[in-house]
Amino acid sequence: MGKVKHFIIVMAFVFIGSSCTFAQGYTPPSVVLGVMGRGDFAMHDAYGTNFNDPSTMGMMWGRGIEIYGKIGLGVKKNHRITLGASYDKFINSSSEGKSYFSSNPKAGEETNYNFWSAYLGYEYCFSARCRTKQFIGGGVSGHLINSQPGAYDFDDAYRVGFYVDGGYELVLDPKFKTGVFIGFKYNLFNVFGTESDSERKLNDGANTSTIYGPDFWRRMGAITLTFGFNFYLGTKMVKP
């Protein structure tokens, strides 16, 4: 957790201290398309190392991939509408030392979850015309969660949550068509749609019985570190 906190602090200073230090010859992009790799760390009641503890979901690390699009608004394109879709795999294997890359499920000896997610949100891009750009935003997320053979087994679950994210972009080519970025995302998966008191359900909601789960809302969340590649569309050379 200490490394995650340090990363977020460094990113905050980048947002505050960065600026467009020299004149650029291109307009900001009207559309951004991209793909990113994701490294996840489970948060709240999703995190747990003891599979026999019903108060957690027995999740630790995860990894995934996301594709996304961003539409710039206004003349400066600082305001963006964002759309995205991602897939994440969370495996916590006691028999393999809780390996981040564990891929051989063993029934009853590990947790194995798939998260299929969609995102709709807004972000503000600082210095949208510059070679270095920073953004911060948030929005609504929808999730399909299913379990593979493991310590927990339940029917497909659908949840709605919220997220906040931010990042630092660097343009790679002289015509401002491509770039890379590094960033973070915090996601609370199950704000709406929680269920309880059923043998085949995820049982993450508050209930009055402890037969199938605890009597409180098990919050499922994750902090995600991201690294990706951007394609910038609609950039035009500014004529002198």
Side-chain angles (χ1 to χ4, degrees):
M1 283 300 296
K3 292 183 179 180
V4 173
K5 291 180 180 178
H6 291 161
F7 175 83
I8 294 175
I9 292 173
V10 169
M11 291 301 296
F13 277 109
V14 170
F15 296 154
I16 296 172
S18 61
S19 62
C20 191
T21 57
F22 54 90
Q24 303 292 348
Y26 286 84
T27 61
S30 56
V31 175
V32 182
L33 301 176
V35 59
M36 71 171 75
R38 298 162 52 91
D40 307 301
F41 183 77
M43 297 288 294
H44 309 305
D45 304 309
Y47 178 87
T49 58
N50 183 359
F51 302 149
N52 296 316
D53 181 3
S55 64
T56 78
M57 298 304 301
M59 298 165 57
M60 289 187 68
W61 299 97
R63 75 274 192 187
I65 189 171
E66 180 176 340
I67 57 174
Y68 55 89
K70 306 178 180 184
I71 303 173
L73 305 177
V75 176
K76 296 183 178 181
K77 310 299 182 186
N78 296 103
H79 304 279
R80 294 171 172 176
I81 300 298
T82 61
L83 296 166
S86 70
Y87 168 74
D88 294 275
K89 167 74 77 174
F90 284 86
I91 293 181
N92 178 4
S93 173
S94 59
S95 62
E96 299 184 16
K98 303 175 180 65
S99 171
Y100 179 76
F101 294 103
S102 173
S103 59
N104 183 26
K106 296 179 177 62
E109 296 183 11
E110 68 180 11
T111 55
N112 188 345
Y113 300 109
N114 294 315
F115 279 70
W116 301 89
S117 306
Y119 309 94
L120 172 62
Y122 161 84
E123 73 178 30
Y124 183 83
C125 180
F126 301 86
S127 306
R129 287 188 57 190
C130 299
R131 186 171 296 277
T132 59
K133 316 170 193 289
Q134 306 78 40
F135 65 87
I136 189 167
V140 179
S141 59
H143 309 276
L144 166 60
I145 308 170
N146 60 46
S147 63
Q148 301 300 304
Y152 294 103
D153 187 17
F154 53 85
D155 294 335
D156 290 355
Y158 299 90
R159 299 292 184 267
V160 176
F162 297 105
Y163 74 91
V164 294
D165 65 353
Y168 178 87
E169 301 178 18
L170 174 64
V171 175
L172 295 178
D173 66 295
K175 294 186 178 182
F176 285 64
K177 297 295 185 182
T178 59
V180 294
F181 84 91
I182 186 171
F184 73 93
K185 177 179 286 186
Y186 166 74
N187 205 160
L188 184 57
F189 302 120
N190 61 336
V191 178
F192 303 105
T194 58
E195 300 171 302
S196 57
D197 268 346
S198 178
E199 184 177 2
R200 294 295 305 171
K201 300 298 183 181
L202 182 57
N203 291 312
D204 54 337
N207 59 19
T208 57
S209 168
T210 58
I211 297 176
Y212 301 113
D215 58 353
F216 63 89
W217 169 35
R218 287 189 292 179
R219 294 176 298 159
M220 300 176 63
I223 287 181
T224 301
L225 302 184
T226 59
F227 180 80
F229 189 85
N230 287 335
F231 295 94
Y232 299 111
L233 307 180
T235 57
K236 299 178 182 179
M237 179 180 293
V238 177
K239 296 180 180 182

